[in-house]
Amino acid sequence: MSVTIRGIGWVTVAGMGGGRGADGFSMPQGELPKLKRKDVFNDAYLRFGRIDAFSKLGLAAITFALRDAGLEEWDVKRPIGVVAATRYGCLTTDSDYFDSVVPDHGALASPNLFAYTLPNCFLGEAAIRFGLTGPSVVINEETPDGLGGIRMALDLIRWGECETVVAGVSDLERPAVADFGEQAPGSVFLVLSRDADAAGYGVLSRGDGGELLSGGEVVASVEALVKKALKR
Amino acid sequence: MSVCVVDMALHSALGDLDETWDGLLAGKSGVRPIARFVTDKYLTGMGAWIDGLPQSSDSSAVHVLLDNVWDGFGSVPTDAHLLIATTKGGIDMLEPLRRGTATNVPDLDNAALLQTISARFGLAGRGSNINAACASSTIAVAHGAAMIAAGDVDAVLVVCFDLLTEFVFSGFSALQALDPQPSRPFDKDRKGLSLGEGAAALLLMSEERAVREGRASLGTILGWGVANDANHITAPARDGCGLIQAVNNALKRATVAPQAISGISAHGTGTVYNDLMELVAFEQVFPHGTPPLNSIKGALGHTLGAAGGIEVVLGLRSLASGQLLPTVGLQNPEERAVGLVSSDVQLLSDGLLLSTNSGFGGINAALILEKGGAA
């Protein structure tokens, strides 16, 4: 079974946007743009200013992907899933939070920061903003290709758990407190749908060995997948 | 394809599986004064913590916690797919790091924990960590069951764990979510949760392979469902919409009617809003009457990402013995829970057990469990 790529959104060191009309896509090393609400939303979405940097990054890329797929606007909640792979998750937020605990044995612990010390919370933010009631899961894997979330999304669709899943990868720059290996910072999400007739950026499937295939070719990484899809 | 649980183990504040089961049946609680860190500035000094977990600057206590689980766990086929479920993994290592007493933090990397567990059993693959807050291990079991049901694999090892650390404790205290007393799930005077720590492991297998290898089925994962409230980051939807959707999805997957459910292992954190939300949701799902339900969190504390896995293990024991465990801490049931929940053992008639969990980010997950041949 194959699924259609209906939308693509990203925030990387090279820029941000979604779909073919956006600026060129790539995932170089470097410093990510400091996201402001107006970079992403046209309305007064004040909540965006209160969430942590990891959540802002992922929420922005999900927004661009849904917008590109024509799924940003909604009236009734929709059973759309969200799956994100991440290596470092919210470790930067964890550090910031625990720095609020240390000085006075926890008397000054920040409840606002603590709420974002779970890496899946940005998926909750996306669910609230866009009315997404499908499964929302963050996964950690050792593989550096960033494709774990997309593989899981394909499975969810194939198993009949969801018709549509927003899936991708999201990581801030390497935190000061840890080094788990080189990982290009950035957030990239794809809107994947069972509807094979939907216009989009091509189809994805799983090979006999579980590998991810795009147009019959093995996909090496999220970056390669998106570059190929945007050329289509 | 039918999905069996062929091995299971856990470790909680009450001990291993047998000790935890016997303790819970006796109404024993693992919640007690915390001696692990200073609690003067927090809402409470109580938690369900495990004796003997090292508090070191060199290595996370997760490793010893898991060693405790492996003591009660058998062999795992090397082709089993690994799914772990933890919300904060080796977060105990962040504390010495930020306090300036440590510099090496490999255990903060969930991928490194995957590697350790994979190597422990000589597994061919490294697998994934599933992080969905307090529904993490419920979803890991669901995902493993779905993989087997689809014929993608025929064996999945699910391992779940979370620690009681000052990192987590301080946060729930800051959110005003801790009960100063040991938590009282579904009690009308409940004031919040008690935190706990623990771990569980389950080996899932296709029925065909279990039979072929002569492994007894301890129970079957019949159905599963996952849904988001799309309502609030740290609070449940008051109408229980996400939990209702998750349970209905699980019933649909299991192809059973609500009347087939004879008991519920509820999330039951002891917070005002969670417990009420669950009761509201169950009233919707079971219009002809909510089955008897319980929560073990008054005794074991809320073990976060490990909670669902621990509750599946104990739920399968409940089905095997026909006993729904007491809700420790309960004194005066919430009005909606009168007649449904008890501080004593309740008889579990033949039928299926529904096990549910919900968490930050608005996530909800439900599993439907069927009695196996032995437990």
Side-chain angles (χ1 to χ4, degrees):
Chain A
M1 195 207 78
S2 59
V3 302
T4 304
I5 303 171
R6 295 178 60 185
I8 305 174
W10 65 85
V11 177
T12 72
V13 171
M16 67 181 88
R20 294 190 183 89
D23 293 339
F25 167 82
S26 64
M27 295 186 74
Q29 294 288 342
E31 192 173 338
L32 290 164
K34 302 293 179 207
L35 288 166
K36 302 183 192 68
R37 175 179 58 81
K38 290 179 180 174
D39 294 332
V40 186
F41 303 103
N42 295 321
D43 61 327
Y45 183 47
L46 300 179
R47 190 173 176 80
F48 192 71
R50 295 197 289 266
I51 63 179
D52 69 318
F54 178 64
S55 298
K56 279 182 184 168
L57 176 69
L59 181 58
I62 289 171
T63 302
F64 291 135
L66 286 168
R67 187 174 296 159
D68 185 43
L71 292 171
E72 184 182 14
E73 306 299 327
W74 59 285
D75 295 318
V76 179
K77 290 180 184 178
R78 306 161 285 180
I80 294 174
V82 197
V83 184
T86 182
R87 190 66 194 270
Y88 291 100
C90 55
L91 193 50
T92 298
T93 311
D94 292 353
S95 293
D96 292 344
Y97 166 71
F98 202 66
D99 287 350
S100 78
V101 175
V102 170
D104 193 13
H105 292 293
L108 303 174
S110 165
N112 292 338
L113 274 175
F114 182 70
Y116 292 96
T117 60
L118 287 169
N120 68 308
C121 279
F122 84 94
L123 306 185
E125 293 287 355
I128 295 167
R129 171 78 186 175
F130 300 111
L132 312 178
T133 62
S136 49
V137 176
V138 160
I139 65 167
N140 310 114
E141 292 182 346
E142 194 180 23
T143 52
D145 60 20
L147 293 168
I150 294 170
R151 287 192 198 95
M152 181 181 277
L154 252 71
D155 289 339
L156 290 174
I157 294 170
R158 188 164 52 91
W159 298 336
E161 310 279 338
C162 286
E163 293 288 316
T164 300
V165 180
V166 188
V169 61
S170 203
D171 268 297
L172 290 170
E173 299 93 339
R174 184 172 68 78
V177 297
D179 184 358
F180 305 155
E182 285 302 314
Q183 179 94 13
S187 187
V188 182
F189 280 87
L190 279 60
V191 179
L192 304 173
S193 177
R194 175 187 287 275
D195 181 4
D197 295 328
Y201 299 91
V203 296
L204 291 175
S205 59
R206 297 287 293 264
D208 293 340
E211 67 275 24
L212 192 64
L213 303 175
S214 167
E217 295 176 1
V218 175
V219 177
S221 67
V222 165
E223 183 175 14
L225 171 62
V226 172
K227 283 182 172 174
K228 180 179 177 183
L230 290 173
K231 279 182 186 168
R232 192 169 180 272
Chain B
M1 192 173 301
S2 195
V3 183
C4 303
V5 177
V6 297
D7 199 2
M8 59 188 190
L10 66 77
H11 202 87
S12 77
L14 291 179
D16 65 16
L17 173 53
D18 288 337
E19 292 164 341
T20 299
W21 175 259
D22 291 343
L24 289 169
L25 274 181
K28 202 171 156 187
S29 175
V31 180
R32 59 199 168 112
I34 292 171
R36 190 173 287 173
F37 48 83
V38 176
T39 59
D40 296 356
K41 302 290 174 69
Y42 302 131
L43 290 176
T44 179
M46 308 284 276
W49 53 285
I50 298 170
D51 268 329
L53 293 187
Q55 305 301 301
S56 156
S57 295
D58 302 323
S59 176
S60 171
V62 159
H63 299 291
V64 175
L65 174 60
L66 290 176
D67 284 344
N68 290 339
V69 174
W70 307 145
D71 285 344
F73 204 65
S75 64
V76 175
T78 55
D79 62 340
H81 185 86
L82 176 62
L83 291 173
I84 71 171
T86 182
T87 62
K88 297 312 296 177
I91 196 67
D92 53 331
M93 297 311 297
L94 183 66
E95 299 183 12
L97 186 75
R98 302 311 287 171
R99 292 185 193 279
T101 58
T103 55
N104 185 26
V105 291
D107 289 337
L108 283 173
D109 183 3
N110 285 331
L113 296 173
L114 273 166
Q115 187 176 348
T116 300
I117 296 168
S118 178
R120 166 72 174 70
F121 293 101
L123 303 183
R126 294 274 169 78
S128 312
N129 176 53
I130 291 188
N131 195 324
C134 304
S136 296
S137 51
T138 325
I139 294 175
V141 171
H143 198 71
M147 293 179 85
I148 292 172
D152 292 353
V153 297
D154 58 11
V156 175
L157 174 63
V158 176
V159 182
C160 55
F161 48 92
D162 261 316
L163 297 170
L164 200 171
T165 61
E166 186 168 8
F167 181 98
V168 171
F169 198 87
S170 60
F172 279 97
S173 181
L175 288 172
Q176 307 294 310
L178 299 179
D179 192 329
Q181 303 177 38
S183 73
R184 296 161 278 180
F186 299 111
D187 194 288
K188 67 181 179 184
D189 297 318
R190 65 191 182 280
K191 288 189 167 53
L193 53 86
S194 293
L195 281 167
E197 62 188 354
L202 297 109
L203 181 59
L204 313 184
M205 207 170 258
S206 68
E207 184 179 31
E208 185 183 67
R209 181 167 181 175
V211 169
R212 194 170 66 236
E213 296 190 358
R215 292 180 183 256
S217 170
L218 308 177
T220 303
I221 313 295
L222 269 192
W224 52 89
V226 182
N228 197 296
D229 291 334
N231 179 72
H232 196 278
I233 288 298
T234 57
R238 294 195 185 195
D239 63 0
C241 57
L243 182 57
I244 292 169
Q245 186 180 328
V247 175
N248 283 335
N249 289 349
L251 291 166
K252 186 177 173 188
R253 172 66 68 170
T255 60
V256 298
Q259 293 89 332
I261 304 296
S262 61
I264 303 172
S265 169
H267 193 44
T269 60
T271 65
V272 171
Y273 293 119
N274 173 82
D275 293 7
L276 187 58
M277 176 279 287
E278 288 192 273
L279 293 168
V280 167
F282 295 144
E283 285 175 4
Q284 290 293 312
V285 174
F286 301 101
H288 304 295
T290 302
L293 60 88
N294 77 341
S295 166
I296 58 168
K297 292 186 177 68
L300 302 187
H302 189 347
T303 54
L304 307 176
I310 288 172
E311 288 159 19
V312 168
V313 171
L314 294 169
L316 291 176
R317 272 279 173 104
S318 288
L319 283 166
S321 71
Q323 296 170 296
L324 197 59
L325 289 163
T327 298
V328 174
L330 178 77
Q331 292 181 332
N332 302 301
E334 164 78 33
E335 188 178 344
R336 281 185 145 99
V338 171
L340 304 178
V341 65
S342 173
S343 57
D344 294 323
V345 173
Q346 298 186 84
L347 291 179
L348 194 57
S349 59
D350 281 344
L352 309 175
L353 185 75
L354 172 67
S355 188
T356 64
N357 297 94
S358 303
F360 280 13
I363 192 71
N364 302 271
L367 297 169
I368 295 177
L369 311 176
E370 184 178 40
K371 182 179 176 178

